[in-house]
Amino acid sequence: MISLGERPLTARDRGLTAALLRLLEGEVPPPFAVRRFLPLPTLSYGPGDLHTGAPGERDFGDHVDQTNYSVIVGERVVVKWLTPPVPLPHPAPEILAHLVEAGFNDTAPPYAALTGVLDGREHLLALVTGYLPEATDGWEWCVDEAVAGRTAFASELGRLAAELHLALSTLSPDRKTGSPDRKTGSPDRKTGSPDRRTGSPGRKTGSPDRATGQATSAAARARQALAEAIELTGGEDGAWLATRTEAMRRELAPLDAPVTTPAIRIHGDLHVGQFLRWRDGYAVIDFDGNPTVADADPYQPPARDVAQLTTSLEHVAQVAVRRRDTAPDQATGWARRARARLLAAYRVHLSAGHGGHLLDESLIRPFEVEQECRELIYAARHLPRWRYAPMGVLRTWYPEENIS
C-alpha cells in the first residue's frame, strides 16, 4: 500500500499508481471510495512495462514546481496525489463534476476522485485526469510571449475565462453534489447539462442589506490585505510602499459600494500558471482553490478571477524583465496590450453566452490592487524571492508623479 501523504513513485511503489487505475474500473474496497466523472481511457502496455504488469509511469520531473505530486500513467492519464491528503469538503470534485455536466471541455479531462477515511474523517487522496501532450504552463510559455512581444494568446485566455465563468455560474451553492458510493463508486447526482441561457445565473446578491454586507466584507478584506502587506514588507520596498498607501486606499474605494452583480462559483486561483498550452490549444487546470487565502467565500463576483488573471500578466512582464533581460518599458507595454486584449475577448464571449451581467468592471481595479497586496503577503510568508514581481508592478502603477 502506498504510504498516504508521501510521494508514491519510489522503487518500492512503482506500478502502484497504474494499478490504482485498474481498481477504479470496478468496486473499490473500504475505507476507500471513488467518484467518477468521465470513463477512463484504455491504457496501452509497452514492452518495458511488462515487469510491473501495468502501463509505464513517470513524474513531471524536478523542474516542475508542484504542491502535490503527479504521476503520468501510460502517457494518457495523470494521477495527482494530494500530499498530504486533504479533508473533505474539497472544491475540486464538485467543480469537476459540474464542468462535465455543463459541457466545459477546455480542461484536462476529469476522470475520477479517490477518497478515503483517515482518522474517522473522509479525505481526498487523489484526482485522476487526462494527460495533455506537449503541455507547458503559463509561467513558461507566457514569458516567451512577453519576450517576443506577442499578445494574440490573450484573446484565447479571455475566451476561456469567460466560458469557464459561464459554466460555473450554473453551479448553485445549495446544489447537492452527492458523495462517492462505497459499493459502486458511482456518484449520486443528476445527469444532463444545464442550459447556460436558462440555468442558474449565479447566486444573487439579494436584498440591499445583503449587497451592502457583501461590499463591507470585500472592502474590509481588501484593506486588511493592504495593512498586512505594508506590515510585512520591510526595507526599501516597505518604505516606498508606505508612501503609496493613500493612493492604494483610494483605488480600493469602489469596494465600499453595494455589490450588484451575481456571486458565482469562481476558480479562486486563476493566474496564467493555471493555463496550459498543449498540442491542441489551451486548457485551464487546478480547481483546488487558493491555499494562501484562508476562509475565502468560493462564491464571489467573477471580477475577482478576472483581476487575478490580469495581474498575473503584469507578473509575467516582471519575470521577463528580471530573468530574460527584457527592457522594462517594453515589458510594461506588452502587459498593457495583453490585458486590454484579454478583457476585450472576455467581454465578447461572456455577452455571447448571455452572461454580460456577471461582470462589474468597477470591481476589477480594486481587486487588482488587493491581489498585489496578497502577492506581497505570499512573498513575505512563503517565497521571499517573489517580492520583486508585485513590487515591480506597483512601481509601474504608482510612479512619483501619480501619487498626489
Side-chain angles (χ1 to χ4, degrees):
M1 171 59 63
I2 294 171
S3 300
L4 297 177
E6 298 177 359
R7 290 194 169 191
L9 194 59
T10 64
R12 177 193 66 187
D13 297 324
R14 190 173 298 277
L16 289 182
T17 301
L20 166 70
L21 298 181
R22 297 173 65 182
L23 286 174
L24 294 183
E25 296 174 357
E27 293 187 5
V28 179
F32 302 102
V34 62
R35 181 172 185 178
R36 297 184 178 89
F37 309 122
L38 291 172
L40 280 165
T42 301
L43 299 175
S44 61
Y45 295 74
D49 305 330
L50 298 180
H51 69 289
T52 65
E57 296 178 355
R58 67 179 178 88
D59 59 21
F60 283 101
D62 294 336
H63 67 288
V64 177
D65 183 18
Q66 301 181 78
T67 303
N68 299 295
Y69 186 65
S70 296
V71 179
I72 304 167
V73 181
E75 299 302 306
R76 298 197 68 185
V77 172
V78 176
V79 177
K80 181 171 79 173
W81 295 96
L82 279 76
T83 52
V86 178
L88 295 180
H90 184 280
E94 174 189 32
I95 291 177
L96 293 175
H98 181 74
L99 292 180
V100 169
E101 292 182 358
F104 181 83
N105 297 317
D106 289 321
T107 187
Y111 296 129
L114 177 69
T115 64
V117 178
L118 306 175
D119 298 324
R121 183 173 178 182
E122 194 158 23
H123 287 64
L124 180 63
L125 308 180
L127 291 168
V128 184
T129 63
Y131 174 63
L132 303 180
E134 303 172 25
T136 56
D137 75 43
W139 295 117
E140 297 180 38
W141 65 258
C142 201
V143 174
D144 291 340
E145 298 296 285
V147 172
R150 296 186 293 259
T151 60
F153 74 91
S155 296
E156 276 299 290
L157 264 58
R159 176 197 64 80
L160 209 162
E163 292 291 333
L164 176 65
H165 283 158
L166 288 168
L168 291 177
S169 71
T170 62
L171 177 55
S172 171
D174 57 0
R175 173 179 178 268
K176 293 182 180 180
T177 56
S179 59
D181 184 313
R182 298 194 173 276
K183 293 183 178 179
T184 65
S186 61
D188 177 20
R189 60 176 172 84
K190 295 181 179 180
T191 58
S193 301
D195 187 328
R196 288 182 183 168
R197 297 188 182 185
T198 60
S200 168
R203 186 174 68 191
K204 295 289 187 180
T205 55
S207 67
D209 287 345
R210 182 174 182 182
T212 302
Q214 288 186 346
T216 302
S217 176
R221 166 181 157 157
R223 291 193 177 97
Q224 177 62 28
L226 175 57
E228 283 190 63
I230 293 170
E231 179 183 357
L232 295 174
T233 305
E236 182 180 333
D237 286 339
W240 181 93
L241 192 61
T243 66
R244 271 63 178 180
T245 302
E246 288 308 314
M248 295 173 71
R249 282 201 184 103
R250 286 195 296 270
E251 295 221 82
L252 296 178
L255 297 180
D256 290 320
V259 177
T260 58
T261 52
I264 70 167
R265 186 62 168 90
I266 61 171
H267 182 285
D269 195 22
L270 196 65
H271 53 77
V272 293
Q274 311 289 28
F275 289 84
L276 300 182
R277 175 185 277 176
W278 66 295
R279 185 181 62 197
D280 294 339
Y282 296 89
V284 61
I285 61 167
D286 191 357
F287 299 95
D288 296 347
N290 191 335
T292 67
V293 182
D295 302 322
D297 188 344
Y299 286 81
Q300 298 192 49
R304 175 75 71 182
D305 272 351
V306 173
Q308 186 172 10
L309 184 53
T310 55
T311 54
S312 71
L313 293 174
E314 305 264 10
H315 300 148
V316 167
Q318 295 301 316
V319 172
V321 171
R322 188 177 182 92
R323 300 183 182 176
R324 303 286 291 275
D325 296 323
T326 302
D329 288 348
Q330 176 184 333
T332 300
W334 170 87
R336 183 174 58 253
R337 295 191 304 275
R339 178 185 187 277
R341 192 160 186 167
L342 185 151
L343 289 175
Y346 180 85
R347 295 184 195 102
V348 167
H349 289 278
L350 201 66
S351 295
H354 303 271
H357 63 288
L358 296 175
L359 180 64
D360 182 348
E361 302 224 14
S362 71
L363 298 177
I364 295 177
R365 185 58 171 182
F367 282 160
E368 287 178 330
V369 173
E370 179 187 345
Q371 183 61 38
E372 293 306 327
C373 293
R374 296 198 174 280
E375 298 291 338
L376 287 172
I377 295 169
Y378 174 78
R381 291 179 174 168
H382 304 287
L383 194 66
R385 68 176 183 270
W386 177 245
R387 185 201 281 187
Y388 79 89
M391 285 304 304
V393 173
L394 291 171
R395 289 178 189 275
T396 65
W397 287 357
Y398 303 104
E400 191 70 33
E401 63 272 18
N402 288 348
I403 64 170
S404 58

